Short mmCIF file of all heavy atoms in Angstrom, two decimals:
data_model
loop_
_atom_site.label_atom_id
_atom_site.label_comp_id
_atom_site.label_asym_id
_atom_site.label_seq_id
_atom_site.Cartn_x
_atom_site.Cartn_y
_atom_site.Cartn_z
N PHE A 135 -11.68 28.54 0.39
CA PHE A 135 -11.44 29.91 0.83
C PHE A 135 -10.24 30.51 0.11
O PHE A 135 -10.29 31.63 -0.42
CB PHE A 135 -11.21 29.92 2.35
CG PHE A 135 -10.72 31.23 2.91
CD1 PHE A 135 -11.58 32.31 3.04
CD2 PHE A 135 -9.40 31.39 3.30
CE1 PHE A 135 -11.14 33.52 3.56
CE2 PHE A 135 -8.95 32.60 3.81
CZ PHE A 135 -9.82 33.66 3.95
N VAL A 136 -9.13 29.77 0.06
CA VAL A 136 -7.91 30.26 -0.58
C VAL A 136 -8.11 30.40 -2.08
O VAL A 136 -7.78 31.44 -2.68
CB VAL A 136 -6.73 29.31 -0.27
CG1 VAL A 136 -5.52 29.65 -1.14
CG2 VAL A 136 -6.36 29.39 1.20
N SER A 137 -8.65 29.38 -2.73
CA SER A 137 -8.78 29.42 -4.19
C SER A 137 -9.74 30.51 -4.64
O SER A 137 -9.47 31.20 -5.64
CB SER A 137 -9.23 28.05 -4.71
OG SER A 137 -10.41 27.62 -4.06
N SER A 138 -10.86 30.70 -3.94
CA SER A 138 -11.82 31.73 -4.35
C SER A 138 -11.22 33.12 -4.29
O SER A 138 -11.45 33.95 -5.18
CB SER A 138 -13.08 31.67 -3.47
OG SER A 138 -12.77 32.00 -2.12
N ASN A 139 -10.43 33.39 -3.27
CA ASN A 139 -9.80 34.71 -3.16
C ASN A 139 -8.69 34.90 -4.19
O ASN A 139 -8.52 36.00 -4.72
CB ASN A 139 -9.25 34.90 -1.75
CG ASN A 139 -10.31 35.30 -0.75
OD1 ASN A 139 -10.69 36.46 -0.66
ND2 ASN A 139 -10.81 34.33 0.01
N LEU A 140 -7.95 33.84 -4.51
CA LEU A 140 -6.88 33.97 -5.49
C LEU A 140 -7.43 34.10 -6.91
O LEU A 140 -6.80 34.75 -7.76
CB LEU A 140 -5.93 32.77 -5.39
CG LEU A 140 -5.08 32.74 -4.10
CD1 LEU A 140 -4.22 31.48 -4.05
CD2 LEU A 140 -4.21 33.99 -3.99
N PHE A 141 -8.58 33.54 -7.19
CA PHE A 141 -9.20 33.75 -8.50
C PHE A 141 -9.47 35.24 -8.72
O PHE A 141 -9.45 35.71 -9.87
CB PHE A 141 -10.52 32.97 -8.60
CG PHE A 141 -10.37 31.55 -9.10
CD1 PHE A 141 -10.93 30.50 -8.40
CD2 PHE A 141 -9.65 31.28 -10.27
CE1 PHE A 141 -10.80 29.20 -8.87
CE2 PHE A 141 -9.52 29.97 -10.74
CZ PHE A 141 -10.09 28.93 -10.03
N ASN A 142 -9.73 35.99 -7.66
CA ASN A 142 -10.04 37.41 -7.80
C ASN A 142 -8.80 38.28 -7.97
O ASN A 142 -8.92 39.50 -8.12
CB ASN A 142 -10.84 37.89 -6.60
CG ASN A 142 -12.31 37.54 -6.72
OD1 ASN A 142 -12.80 37.27 -7.80
ND2 ASN A 142 -13.01 37.53 -5.59
N VAL A 143 -7.63 37.68 -7.98
CA VAL A 143 -6.43 38.45 -8.27
C VAL A 143 -6.42 38.85 -9.73
O VAL A 143 -6.04 39.98 -10.08
CB VAL A 143 -5.17 37.62 -7.93
CG1 VAL A 143 -3.91 38.28 -8.48
CG2 VAL A 143 -5.05 37.45 -6.41
N SER A 144 -6.84 37.95 -10.61
CA SER A 144 -6.86 38.24 -12.05
C SER A 144 -7.91 37.37 -12.74
O SER A 144 -8.02 36.18 -12.43
CB SER A 144 -5.48 37.98 -12.67
OG SER A 144 -5.55 37.97 -14.09
N PRO A 145 -8.64 37.96 -13.71
CA PRO A 145 -9.61 37.14 -14.45
C PRO A 145 -8.95 36.17 -15.41
O PRO A 145 -9.63 35.30 -15.97
CB PRO A 145 -10.44 38.19 -15.20
CG PRO A 145 -9.52 39.35 -15.38
CD PRO A 145 -8.67 39.37 -14.16
N MET A 146 -7.65 36.33 -15.62
CA MET A 146 -6.93 35.43 -16.51
C MET A 146 -6.55 34.12 -15.82
O MET A 146 -6.08 33.18 -16.49
CB MET A 146 -5.68 36.12 -17.05
CG MET A 146 -5.97 37.30 -17.96
SD MET A 146 -6.95 36.82 -19.42
CE MET A 146 -5.71 35.90 -20.34
N ILE A 147 -6.70 34.03 -14.51
CA ILE A 147 -6.43 32.77 -13.80
C ILE A 147 -7.61 31.85 -14.06
O ILE A 147 -8.71 32.06 -13.53
CB ILE A 147 -6.23 33.01 -12.29
CG1 ILE A 147 -5.08 33.96 -12.03
CG2 ILE A 147 -5.99 31.68 -11.57
CD1 ILE A 147 -4.91 34.34 -10.57
N GLU A 148 -7.41 30.84 -14.87
CA GLU A 148 -8.46 29.90 -15.21
C GLU A 148 -8.53 28.74 -14.23
O GLU A 148 -9.61 28.16 -14.02
CB GLU A 148 -8.26 29.37 -16.64
CG GLU A 148 -8.47 30.41 -17.73
CD GLU A 148 -9.92 30.84 -17.84
OE1 GLU A 148 -10.80 30.10 -17.36
OE2 GLU A 148 -10.18 31.92 -18.41
N THR A 149 -7.37 28.39 -13.66
CA THR A 149 -7.30 27.21 -12.79
C THR A 149 -6.44 27.52 -11.58
O THR A 149 -5.41 28.19 -11.69
CB THR A 149 -6.70 26.00 -13.54
OG1 THR A 149 -7.42 25.78 -14.74
CG2 THR A 149 -6.75 24.74 -12.68
N VAL A 150 -6.88 27.07 -10.42
CA VAL A 150 -6.07 27.11 -9.21
C VAL A 150 -5.94 25.68 -8.70
O VAL A 150 -6.95 25.02 -8.42
CB VAL A 150 -6.69 28.01 -8.12
CG1 VAL A 150 -5.87 27.91 -6.83
CG2 VAL A 150 -6.76 29.46 -8.57
N VAL A 151 -4.71 25.21 -8.60
CA VAL A 151 -4.46 23.86 -8.09
C VAL A 151 -3.97 24.00 -6.65
O VAL A 151 -2.91 24.57 -6.40
CB VAL A 151 -3.41 23.12 -8.94
CG1 VAL A 151 -3.13 21.73 -8.34
CG2 VAL A 151 -3.89 22.98 -10.37
N VAL A 152 -4.79 23.53 -5.72
CA VAL A 152 -4.44 23.61 -4.30
C VAL A 152 -4.03 22.23 -3.82
O VAL A 152 -4.82 21.28 -3.88
CB VAL A 152 -5.63 24.13 -3.47
CG1 VAL A 152 -5.26 24.17 -1.98
CG2 VAL A 152 -6.06 25.51 -3.94
N SER A 153 -2.79 22.15 -3.34
CA SER A 153 -2.27 20.90 -2.78
C SER A 153 -1.99 21.13 -1.30
O SER A 153 -1.10 21.92 -0.94
CB SER A 153 -1.00 20.47 -3.52
OG SER A 153 -1.27 20.26 -4.90
N GLY A 154 -2.77 20.46 -0.46
CA GLY A 154 -2.65 20.65 0.98
C GLY A 154 -1.83 19.55 1.63
O GLY A 154 -1.99 18.37 1.31
N TYR A 155 -0.95 19.97 2.53
CA TYR A 155 -0.11 18.98 3.22
C TYR A 155 -0.11 19.25 4.72
O TYR A 155 -0.37 20.37 5.19
CB TYR A 155 1.31 18.98 2.66
CG TYR A 155 2.08 20.26 2.86
CD1 TYR A 155 2.90 20.46 3.97
CD2 TYR A 155 2.00 21.29 1.91
CE1 TYR A 155 3.61 21.63 4.15
CE2 TYR A 155 2.70 22.46 2.09
CZ TYR A 155 3.50 22.64 3.20
OH TYR A 155 4.20 23.81 3.37
N THR A 156 0.19 18.22 5.47
CA THR A 156 0.25 18.30 6.92
C THR A 156 1.48 17.57 7.41
O THR A 156 2.08 16.76 6.68
CB THR A 156 -1.03 17.71 7.55
OG1 THR A 156 -0.99 17.87 8.96
CG2 THR A 156 -1.16 16.22 7.23
N GLN A 157 1.90 17.86 8.64
CA GLN A 157 3.10 17.23 9.19
C GLN A 157 2.72 15.98 9.99
O GLN A 157 1.92 16.05 10.92
CB GLN A 157 3.86 18.21 10.11
CG GLN A 157 4.59 19.33 9.36
CD GLN A 157 3.66 20.37 8.77
OE1 GLN A 157 2.70 20.79 9.42
NE2 GLN A 157 3.92 20.78 7.54
N ARG A 158 3.32 14.86 9.58
CA ARG A 158 3.07 13.61 10.29
C ARG A 158 4.38 12.83 10.37
O ARG A 158 5.32 13.08 9.62
CB ARG A 158 2.00 12.77 9.56
CG ARG A 158 0.66 13.46 9.51
CD ARG A 158 -0.47 12.56 9.09
NE ARG A 158 -0.43 12.16 7.70
CZ ARG A 158 -1.51 11.82 6.99
NH1 ARG A 158 -2.71 11.82 7.57
NH2 ARG A 158 -1.42 11.45 5.73
N ARG A 159 4.42 11.88 11.29
CA ARG A 159 5.64 11.08 11.47
C ARG A 159 5.57 9.83 10.59
O ARG A 159 4.54 9.17 10.51
CB ARG A 159 5.82 10.70 12.93
CG ARG A 159 6.05 11.92 13.83
CD ARG A 159 6.60 11.56 15.19
NE ARG A 159 6.81 12.78 15.99
CZ ARG A 159 7.88 13.55 15.91
NH1 ARG A 159 8.86 13.22 15.07
NH2 ARG A 159 7.99 14.64 16.66
N ASN A 160 6.72 9.54 9.96
CA ASN A 160 6.77 8.33 9.14
C ASN A 160 7.11 7.11 10.00
O ASN A 160 7.17 7.20 11.24
CB ASN A 160 7.79 8.51 8.00
CG ASN A 160 9.20 8.78 8.54
OD1 ASN A 160 9.51 8.54 9.72
ND2 ASN A 160 10.07 9.27 7.66
N LYS A 161 7.34 5.98 9.34
CA LYS A 161 7.61 4.76 10.08
C LYS A 161 8.88 4.85 10.91
O LYS A 161 9.02 4.15 11.92
CB LYS A 161 7.70 3.59 9.11
CG LYS A 161 6.37 3.28 8.41
CD LYS A 161 6.52 2.12 7.44
CE LYS A 161 5.20 1.83 6.74
NZ LYS A 161 5.33 0.71 5.76
N SER A 162 9.79 5.72 10.50
CA SER A 162 11.05 5.87 11.25
C SER A 162 10.91 6.87 12.39
O SER A 162 11.86 7.08 13.15
CB SER A 162 12.16 6.34 10.30
OG SER A 162 12.34 5.42 9.24
N GLY A 163 9.76 7.49 12.49
CA GLY A 163 9.54 8.46 13.56
C GLY A 163 9.91 9.87 13.19
O GLY A 163 9.84 10.78 14.02
N ASP A 164 10.31 10.10 11.93
CA ASP A 164 10.68 11.44 11.48
C ASP A 164 9.43 12.23 11.09
O ASP A 164 8.48 11.67 10.53
CB ASP A 164 11.64 11.36 10.29
CG ASP A 164 12.94 10.66 10.65
OD1 ASP A 164 13.43 10.87 11.78
OD2 ASP A 164 13.47 9.90 9.80
#
């Protein structure tokens, strides 16, 4: 959804790299 809409910002955008992250607790509980 995000990448398809951002491609339409400009025809010169050849590549969109989407890196998705989420919040989780590590071994220390942080």
